[in-house]
Amino acid sequence: MKCNRRSLISVVWIFLGIGLNVSCYVAKLDDFWSGLGTAFVFIGILQLFRWGKYNRDADYRAKVDVEAKDERNRYIAAKAWAWAGYLFVMIGAVTCVVLRIFGQNLLSLAASGAVCLVMVLYWVSYLILRRKY
């Protein structure tokens, strides 16, 4: 049942992408929306193939289930998210300073805002998780 729901969601992505592409030609929207629509169609088709293989191939199903439920894989995924967050903050902070040096004040402000947002999200998440655990 869960796989059927996911297949249905993939079909929704495909129709959403087709709708975006059609509306780009009808309403003369910019290329961003047609590119996004094409990406939605592509993602929907890939997901349909993935869930079809999941239903047909028992070995593939076991491999996917282990990846989703195995504690080691969950630990590795959590560590990867932590590293990505650390690296994003460090790269964003350096980018903010470098852009300010080169006189790109608006881009520097955007980079510092992104770093600030991630730090606030981290702080709020920490407070919530500290109460929970």
Side-chain angles (χ1 to χ4, degrees):
M1 181 67 176
K2 190 175 188 180
C3 192
N4 289 337
R5 184 181 53 141
R6 290 181 175 169
S7 296
L8 179 65
I9 291 171
S10 299
V11 171
V12 169
W13 282 118
I14 291 170
F15 281 122
L16 182 63
I18 291 170
L20 277 173
N21 278 322
V22 168
S23 65
C24 283
Y25 294 113
V26 171
K28 305 284 191 226
L29 300 175
D30 61 3
D31 291 338
F32 170 80
W33 298 108
S34 66
L36 184 63
T38 303
F40 283 168
V41 169
F42 186 70
I43 288 169
I45 290 170
L46 286 178
Q47 287 296 325
L48 277 178
F49 281 128
R50 180 179 177 202
W51 294 120
K53 184 176 181 182
Y54 182 87
N55 284 332
R56 287 187 312 272
D57 189 356
D59 292 334
Y60 179 73
R61 184 180 318 119
K63 178 183 169 189
V64 169
D65 289 344
V66 165
E67 285 180 8
K69 296 175 184 172
D70 184 49
E71 288 183 26
R72 179 178 176 271
N73 283 332
R74 286 184 180 205
Y75 174 78
I76 291 170
K79 282 299 241 187
W81 272 110
W83 284 19
Y86 298 145
L87 291 172
F88 180 83
V89 168
M90 293 302 156
I91 291 169
V94 169
T95 301
C96 174
V97 172
V98 168
L99 288 171
R100 183 64 66 152
I101 290 170
F102 286 116
Q104 299 292 327
N105 295 339
L106 186 61
L107 292 175
S108 174
L109 181 65
S112 64
V115 169
C116 182
L117 176 65
V118 169
M119 295 305 294
V120 168
L121 288 173
Y122 169 78
W123 179 65
V124 169
S125 300
Y126 178 80
L127 292 177
I128 292 170
L129 290 171
R130 191 174 69 182
R131 285 185 118 186
K132 187 175 180 179
Y133 299 106

